[in-house]
Amino acid sequence: MNFNLTDIPKRSKKPRESGLTMVMDKGLSIGEAENLMNACCDYIDIIKLGFGTSIITNNIKEKVKIYQENNITVYLGGTLFEAFFIRNMLPEYEKFVKDLELNTIEISDGVCNELTHDLKCQYISDFSKKFTVFSEVGSKISEKIIPPYKWIKLMQKELDAGSSKVIAEARESGTVGVFRKDGEVRSDLIEEILTKIPSEKILWEAPLKDQQVWFIKLIGANVNLGNIDPQEVISLECLRLGLRGDTFYDFIKK
């Protein structure tokens, strides 16, 4: 920070286990990636190369290296894992990940009906012996409502299988999973999940500002938040520190 204000919440330092900010890269150019690092690399912990973009992005290895040189974990979107799975090409997927020199993968089942949860957990167990695994829970279909007890059961089973973090689905739109179609937070669901699953083990996808504010007010400055737009990293950090109107009074000592 450029000035040490009082009553600023203490933020965890990189590399951190809580207070993570995961940014979604949906196809940034090399120049845009470099500009992102120059502007706010200190506030980014993870970058997800969204859905299948890594297959068609030019100079992908160079971009991954730019992020990694700034102490940022990079992984490929879970939809790409499912795309390889449905084609019976998981050995090729593993090779692709290794060729990019990534040490983290995401395993999801939000699209592919053929991937049963038992099989997903088996893949989590297998891949966790070679990689850090993040696994995503929740459907990408807005009409599919998963009850709280099932969210908890799925998350716990995946953590037990070897997931480092479970990702709570919201998509880049913030309109499915732990949110309703209009982006409203499913607060009862989230609060019930937190009675059983430690908050530091969950990465909440929360691309919209009001969603980020809600989580910060509930859990605090060091809540794990994901699917953040590259242009919103500094804005999110200001929310975390009470330097924006939405959280202005949350950290002031009365």
Side-chain angles (χ1 to χ4, degrees), residues 1-6 8:
M1 285 200 293
N2 299 321
F3 190 91
N4 291 322
L5 279 177
T6 61
I8 295 293

Side-chain angles (χ1 to χ4, degrees), residues 66-240:
I66 289 169
Y67 293 148
Q68 290 176 335
E69 287 173 350
N70 284 277
N71 300 314
I72 292 172
T73 295
V74 182
Y75 69 87
L76 312 180
T79 300
L80 187 63
F81 174 87
E82 296 182 55
F84 275 84
F85 165 80
I86 198 67
R87 293 168 174 81
N88 296 312
M89 295 179 65
L90 286 184
E92 289 85 350
Y93 171 79
E94 183 175 343
K95 183 179 185 304
F96 182 57
V97 171
K98 287 181 176 178
D99 286 346
L100 292 176
E101 298 184 16
L102 305 180
N103 59 16
T104 302
I105 67 168
E106 179 186 328
I107 295 178
S108 72
D109 56 357
V111 179
C112 183
N113 295 323
E114 289 80 359
L115 182 55
T116 67
H117 195 251
D118 284 344
L119 186 54
K120 178 186 181 185
C121 287
Q122 184 59 56
Y123 286 131
I124 291 170
S125 178
D126 292 343
F127 277 98
S128 67
K129 296 176 175 66
K130 307 173 186 177
F131 302 92
T132 297
V133 174
F134 295 158
S135 62
E136 188 172 67
V137 176
S139 174
K140 289 180 167 56
I141 302 169
S142 59
E143 289 75 19
K144 187 174 180 179
I145 304 298
I146 301 173
Y149 81 89
K150 192 168 184 181
W151 276 88
I152 292 168
K153 182 179 178 181
L154 296 174
M155 285 180 163
Q156 190 59 62
K157 191 172 179 182
E158 293 180 19
L159 288 169
D160 291 343
S163 286
S164 173
K165 294 279 190 295
V166 285
I167 303 169
E169 173 71 75
R171 303 198 72 176
E172 68 273 17
S173 60
T175 56
V176 299
V178 291
F179 305 111
R180 296 185 174 89
K181 286 184 181 180
D182 61 358
E184 182 185 356
V185 178
R186 293 178 63 193
S187 56
D188 290 347
L189 165 65
I190 292 165
E191 289 175 8
E192 189 162 346
I193 289 173
L194 287 170
T195 65
K196 300 294 183 182
I197 308 296
S199 61
E200 63 270 17
K201 287 293 185 180
I202 306 173
L203 180 58
W204 305 97
E205 292 186 345
L208 306 181
K209 186 193 75 170
D210 288 348
Q211 298 166 352
Q212 297 159 14
V213 170
W214 189 89
F215 277 112
I216 291 168
K217 287 179 178 291
L218 178 70
I219 299 174
N222 289 304
V223 60
N224 299 322
L225 296 174
N227 281 12
I228 307 303
D229 186 280
Q231 298 296 321
E232 296 298 324
V233 174
I234 296 291
S235 297
L236 170 58
E237 194 65 22
C238 284
L239 286 175
R240 290 186 186 274

